[in-house]
Amino acid sequence: TRTLVLDGVSKQFDTGTVALEDVDLTVGAGDFVSVVGPSGCGKSTLLRLASGLDAATTGSIEVNAHSTSYVFQEATLLEWRSALKNVELVGELSGGLRSERRAKAQEALDLVGLTGFEKQHPRQLSGGMRMRVSIARALVADPDLALFDEPFGALDEITRLHMQTELQKLFRLKEFAGLFITHSVSEAVYLSTRVLVMSGRPGRIVADIPIPWSYPRP
Ligand code: ADP
Ligand code: ADP
């Protein structure tokens, strides 16, 4: 499946800044693509266009996904809801049985290593744990396309290493199409099946590197 296809995409903001120029990119199911490059080269813009949060100026963007999830740099949780209820929220929007929603949310929290923390509210959790709730919430809907804007950027290094391992496990299990911004080249190589290198102003993709040894497909 060609889950995400960008063809000749450019983006110019109202301010006149051209953030992206002539970007061609295909991300399929089972591709976990990291995006690295200096600040201002258009990584976040690329992600926002892929998510539909923003529109391209020229070129075409095709998304063949039933659902898309977006994970921001900071965990964006509802403070008045418990961890479990934050994850359940996604199911509430799409309907279905309450018991099933709860079971799926519980499974997602288990997957990110938060068994036992279901009833805690966000402020009772550490930064790493909040990010894990955020990721559980993003993945509970079984998205075909998951977009990550530097989700581990604010974490301390130990938590970050832990989260890299967790995310890799989740990806192997779920086989979605992933686009993952990071400032860490080692994180990109460790996590991904491909690393995109962006550069310049306006930003362009200057390299698209397959990482064949990252992990065997099941
Ligand atoms: P990166 O994520 O690689 O740091 P961005 O995609 O955030 O880069 O930004 C790319 C360029 O577009 C930068 O020059 C930035 O200042 C500009 N830019 C980003 N968002 C906007 C916006 N909403 N309005 C105007 N310029 C923007
Ligand atoms: P941090 O983000 O602070 O580096 P982690 O998210 O990796 O930490 O959590 C480290 C461990 O600390 C967790 O596995 C958990 O056992 C414990 N912990 C952190 N916050 C809490 C809390 N609010 N209540 C109970 N245990 C916690």
Side-chain angles (χ1 to χ4, degrees), residues 16-153:
T17 304
V18 182
L20 287 178
E21 195 162 73
D22 202 20
V23 169
D24 297 325
L25 173 66
T26 300
V27 183
D31 282 342
F32 195 97
V33 180
S34 284
V35 186
V36 298
S39 288
C41 72
K43 303 183 294 298
S44 294
T45 301
L46 176 69
L47 222 65
R48 289 177 61 82
L49 295 182
S51 72
L53 284 169
D54 213 342
T57 309
T58 60
S60 71
I61 300 177
E62 186 187 323
V63 179
N64 302 303
H66 293 296
S67 77
T68 300
S69 284
Y70 201 104
V71 180
F72 297 92
Q73 181 157 4
E74 301 289 335
T76 47
L77 303 174
L78 300 178
E79 295 295 332
W80 61 90
R81 299 183 70 136
S82 68
L84 187 64
K85 284 196 166 279
N86 263 283
V87 178
E88 262 185 68
L89 186 71
V90 178
E92 284 168 28
L93 299 175
S94 56
L97 285 176
R98 200 193 141 126
S99 56
E100 276 176 22
R101 286 203 305 265
R102 174 134 305 188
K104 283 193 104 180
Q106 181 67 58
E107 184 195 9
L109 281 179
D110 293 344
L111 277 172
V112 297
L114 286 180
T115 313
F117 291 93
E118 299 81 4
K119 294 208 163 101
Q120 304 266 355
H121 281 67
R123 84 182 76 84
Q124 300 172 284
L125 301 172
S126 73
M129 297 168 99
R130 291 166 61 95
M131 187 43 80
R132 283 188 256 165
V133 175
S134 229
I135 289 176
R137 186 187 53 191
L139 298 180
V140 74
D142 266 330
D144 303 309
L145 177 63
L147 304 167
F148 301 88
D149 194 345
E150 253 221 297
F152 306 155

